[in-house]
Amino acid sequence: MLRPRPTPTREVVNLDGLWRFAIEGSAGPCPWAGPLDTPLEAAVPASYNDLFTDAAIRDHVGWVWYQRLVRVPRGWAGERVVLRLDAATHQGRVYVDDELVAEHQGGYTPFEADITRLVRPGGEFRLTIGVGNELTNTTIPPGTITVSQDGRRQQKYLHDFYNYAGLARSVWLYSVPAVHIDDITVVTSLDGTTGTVDYTVETSAPATVRVRVLDATGTEVAASSGANGTLRIDHVTPWQPGAAYLYDLVVDIVDREAVVDTYTQPFGVRTVEVRGQEFLINGEPFYFTGFGKHEDTPVRGKGHDDAYLVHDFQLMKWVGANSFRTSHYPYAEEVLDFADRHGIVVIDETAAVGLNLAVEGGLAGRPHRPTFSGETFNDDTRTAHAEAIRELIARDKNHPSVVMWCLANEPSSHEEGAREYFEPLVGLARKLDPTRPVSYAAVMFATHHSDRIMDLFDVVCLNRYYGWYVATGDLITAEAFLEGELRGWAEKFDKPILVSEYGADALPGLHSVWDTPWTEEYQLAYLAANHRAFDRAEAVVGEHVWNFADFQTSNGIHRVDGNRKGVFTRDRRPKSAAHALRARWTRLDNRKPRAAD
Ligand code: GCB
């Protein structure tokens, strides 16, 4: 799906700002049929939960309503008019005046509606968006709704981060010509100093297509015609981690000499490959340094914010991070565009976090319901998961920064039914994108002995908390356990290992001379112990600390004002660990450190 961009044949109107806002039941029975009867206004983009001081809004389980008036530019006569929501978390229903024009399930991918027949250029319409936040056993991510004894509906879920909801990304109105470009797919490869670019263009009706490649100076370096083909770029400048270089693919639909529609798709030329125990970018072994992140800031919740985007990338550069994982859902497209332009490598994850009922049993391993069964996560869950994979790849396939898909975080991969659940999903991801490796992030409970699915994937991604949830406060034991497990996975699967999570909570300002969990010193010592084990295990190709910054968690979990495993605080101040990571990572230059270094 193409991002809305202004071009000589397309115009874009951004609908962000203050919208009327109400929670279900507080604004009459049919909120879209007239002006929303409410004193409240909500900011878009932002999660609504932390904007107000009313717990009934923060804890609301169900639908909320956003509404505003929109004027269609008067110059759009003869054009198609399209509404686009970058995200509605987790369900969206869109009304133009009284008419339902779009419905969408899944809170982190975009959807659109062609509303041409309902609006007129120069005219105004009432745009109402319902957003639902309910998570069930057939949504991605999953959850359960319970009713308390006093009648309150409560949302339970199997992930620790707060279930922020609302319109957390931009809303757009844009125009396209009647015959237009629907989609573009770019796949690149390198042949010595020549870059090859396989392209496919989908159009709304049969049309004559012309393509050109422009380099970063705007000079044409290749051209062709036809809806698909291969372009060659001599003396190509590849896209590299830390040294981004983007070309533009300019796609035109032409009718004789007139350009009917035109769209510019940026792309980078690079290759990704897993070979043996190595992860190669442009044929060179790549060592990942960085973080699992969250879209999470005070007040805005998961609302996209360009200021935080710039600042977070500055901090990642400062600390020597060359990569991050979009844990635990697809991030705003602005983030991926920025990563493309700034040479940061991305592991792109679906929102399938919490497919794991073993966590109900806790670390003590008490009996729990089976994760994969008709009553728990079933064929309908998998159908929703498949759609999440389809929408993620459709949205992000052209980003050079994205080097791997992560299909799930911490599913119960050691339980019966896991293989039947995951095998078709891995097949789907490979069919949709044969060029990128596929992974999932494995939970502590699943060891190399008990896991049932890792052979289906390309990279062993491990979330490991030795020294925190296991061997708490005993880093000598933790280091030994970790090294043993890393060696076990390497021997059994002979694949590269990325430690996709490791981390310890730390309260800034809490200090100790002892190995005392929650102190800044303990977070430092914990990371150092982990690093010693990574450096001795040859198959480890990267380390993603959990987490980049402290983040908000649900009330139902034991945390001290959120998850405090951040290397930066929620307001992005470095803890002591940030300085230590900086000392380690800034000298690596994308290469693996050796134990002797
Ligand atoms: C995990 C999860 C992550 C949690 C983290 C923690 O394994 O993947 O979402 O936040 O542990 O801190 O407990």
Side-chain angles (χ1 to χ4, degrees):
M1 181 189 271
L2 299 177
R3 248 197 112 184
R5 290 180 204 279
T7 78
T9 57
R10 295 165 174 239
E11 285 176 21
V12 179
V13 177
N14 179 278
L15 301 180
D16 295 351
L18 292 170
W19 293 48
R20 287 165 168 273
F21 178 85
I23 59 173
E24 186 181 24
S26 69
C30 189
W32 60 89
L36 207 53
D37 183 14
T38 175
L40 301 177
E41 295 183 62
V44 176
S47 306
Y48 60 78
N49 309 76
D50 291 352
L51 297 180
F52 307 101
T53 51
D54 183 355
I57 298 177
R58 189 168 205 265
D59 301 337
H60 176 67
V61 180
W63 291 86
V64 300
W65 300 97
Y66 289 79
Q67 191 178 72
R68 60 164 285 167
L69 294 173
V70 179
R71 185 166 298 282
V72 181
R74 65 180 178 165
W76 287 12
E79 305 295 307
R80 309 299 305 176
V81 180
V82 184
L83 256 178
R84 198 228 213 214
L85 280 75
D86 284 353
T89 315
H90 298 279
Q91 297 95 30
R93 277 187 203 152
V94 183
Y95 298 82
V96 166
D97 296 323
D98 294 348
E99 191 152 335
L100 178 68
V101 296
E103 281 186 279
H104 185 257
Q105 178 69 45
Y108 303 97
T109 40
F111 60 105
E112 298 188 331
D114 184 326
I115 59 167
T116 315
R117 83 184 161 80
L118 297 172
V119 299
R120 67 185 165 77
E124 200 172 51
F125 66 91
R126 193 177 60 249
L127 175 59
T128 311
I129 302 178
V131 184
N133 66 353
E134 296 187 7
L135 301 175
T136 69
N137 67 326
T138 60
T139 60
I140 296 294
T144 318
I145 294 166
T146 57
V147 181
S148 64
Q149 281 187 338
D150 55 13
R152 280 171 303 139
R153 296 178 81 227
Q154 291 179 313
Q155 178 72 63
K156 303 275 158 55
Y157 36 92
L158 297 147
H159 52 77
D160 72 339
F161 59 95
Y162 187 82
N163 186 33
Y164 282 116
L167 294 176
R169 298 181 189 161
S170 289
V171 182
W172 310 90
L173 189 72
Y174 71 94
S175 72
V176 285
V179 176
H180 54 265
I181 300 155
D182 267 333
D183 199 15
I184 300 169
T185 307
V186 179
V187 173
T188 64
S189 100
L190 283 163
D191 178 10
T193 57
T194 304
T196 58
V197 183
D198 295 329
Y199 72 91
T200 309
V201 177
E202 284 170 34
T203 53
S204 62
T208 305
V209 172
R210 226 168 45 189
V211 297
R212 286 172 293 146
V213 175
L214 309 182
D215 70 12
T217 68
T219 307
E220 184 175 312
V221 292
S224 183
S225 55
N228 51 63
T230 301
L231 295 150
R232 297 177 76 77
I233 306 173
D234 294 330
H235 308 295
V236 70
T237 307
W239 187 95
Q240 312 220 54
Y245 189 94
L246 295 180
Y247 292 90
D248 277 338
L249 183 72
V250 182
V251 179
D252 295 332
I253 293 183
V254 289
D255 183 6
R256 283 168 287 266
E257 272 320 289
V259 174
V260 175
D261 188 22
T262 180
Y263 187 90
T264 299
Q265 176 65 53
F267 69 97
V269 181
R270 60 112 187 86
T271 61
V272 178
E273 188 190 341
V274 170
R275 197 189 297 153
Q277 294 187 347
E278 287 183 319
F279 193 99
L280 308 176
I281 299 182
N282 300 334
E284 295 285 323
F286 179 72
Y287 190 81
F288 295 79
T289 57
F291 302 96
K293 282 186 100 261
H294 262 302
E295 291 187 314
D296 175 273
T297 57
V299 185
R300 264 185 200 272
K302 295 208 172 305
H304 174 72
D305 184 316
D306 278 340
Y308 274 98
L309 168 67
V310 171
H311 193 54
D312 282 5
F313 273 69
Q314 282 287 302
L315 291 176
M316 285 196 280
K317 189 170 174 202
W318 174 87
V319 78
N322 60 18
S323 54
F324 66 93
R325 177 168 61 116
T326 70
S327 41
H328 293 308
Y329 36 80
Y331 288 3
E333 285 168 89
E334 287 85 343
V335 180
L336 297 177
D337 283 348
F338 204 82
D340 288 347
R341 292 197 297 275
H342 294 271
I344 295 282
V345 167
V346 177
I347 298 170
D348 207 359
E349 183 161 292
T350 71
V353 49
L355 293 168
N356 196 328
L357 297 178
V359 291
E360 286 184 338
L363 292 170
R366 286 189 302 274
H368 59 88
R369 294 177 297 159
T371 296
F372 303 101
S373 76
E375 292 69 50
T376 53
F377 302 127
N378 53 33
D379 288 350
D380 292 339
T381 321
R382 195 177 51 202
T383 302
H385 197 160
E387 184 55 20
I389 293 170
R390 266 186 223 105
E391 292 187 20
L392 174 72
I393 295 179
R395 193 194 72 162
D396 291 348
K397 62 190 171 184
N398 292 327
H399 287 287
S401 58
V402 174
V403 300
M404 179 156 73
W405 306 114
C406 184
L407 302 192
N409 185 66
E410 301 195 341
S412 206
S413 58
H414 58 303
E415 270 188 69
E416 208 171 303
R419 200 169 177 88
E420 291 74 8
Y421 183 93
F422 274 99
E423 203 162 9
L425 296 179
V426 178
L428 173 69
R430 291 197 192 287
K431 191 168 125 239
L432 294 170
D433 181 5
T435 73
R436 286 180 179 87
V438 179
S439 64
Y440 79 96
V443 67
M444 287 276 293
F445 306 128
T447 66
H448 54 286
H449 299 300
S450 61
D451 173 273
R452 296 168 185 241
I453 59 172
M454 193 57 89
D455 60 300
L456 301 170
F457 294 84
D458 300 302
V459 175
V460 176
C461 289
L462 300 178
N463 294 356
R464 290 298 178 268
Y465 289 90
Y466 290 111
W468 189 255
Y469 292 124
V470 174
T472 315
D474 177 359
L475 292 173
I476 296 171
T477 304
E479 189 176 327
F481 276 0
L482 175 61
E483 186 173 352
E485 216 203 321
L486 293 172
R487 293 201 182 284
W489 285 96
E491 272 159 33
K492 183 157 176 192
F493 293 100
D494 192 27
K495 295 177 194 278
I497 298 175
L498 170 71
V499 183
S500 38
E501 283 183 24
Y502 64 111
D505 288 77
L507 292 181
L510 190 65
H511 295 286
S512 174
V513 293
W514 315 116
D515 268 352
T516 309
W518 293 93
T519 60
E520 292 200 43
E521 285 79 3
Y522 189 76
Q523 191 182 35
L524 273 175
Y526 169 99
L527 295 177
N530 274 258
H531 294 155
R532 286 193 294 273
F534 301 165
D535 295 354
R536 289 194 296 268
E538 297 74 25
V540 172
V541 298
E543 49 198 62
H544 276 177
V545 176
W546 190 258
N547 189 284
F548 170 74
D550 294 345
F551 59 89
Q552 192 53 266
T553 50
S554 74
N555 281 356
I557 188 161
H558 299 101
R559 301 277 195 221
V560 185
D561 190 27
N563 188 311
R564 309 300 287 268
K565 294 188 186 69
V567 164
F568 297 94
T569 60
R570 203 177 187 210
D571 64 352
R572 276 47 176 176
R573 292 168 197 246
K575 300 181 190 170
S576 304
H579 296 280
L581 282 174
R582 182 167 192 246
R584 174 177 166 85
W585 287 349
T586 49
R587 61 189 175 84
L588 291 188
D589 199 20
N590 303 334
R591 279 192 294 272
K592 180 176 172 66
R594 302 285 157 192
D597 284 359

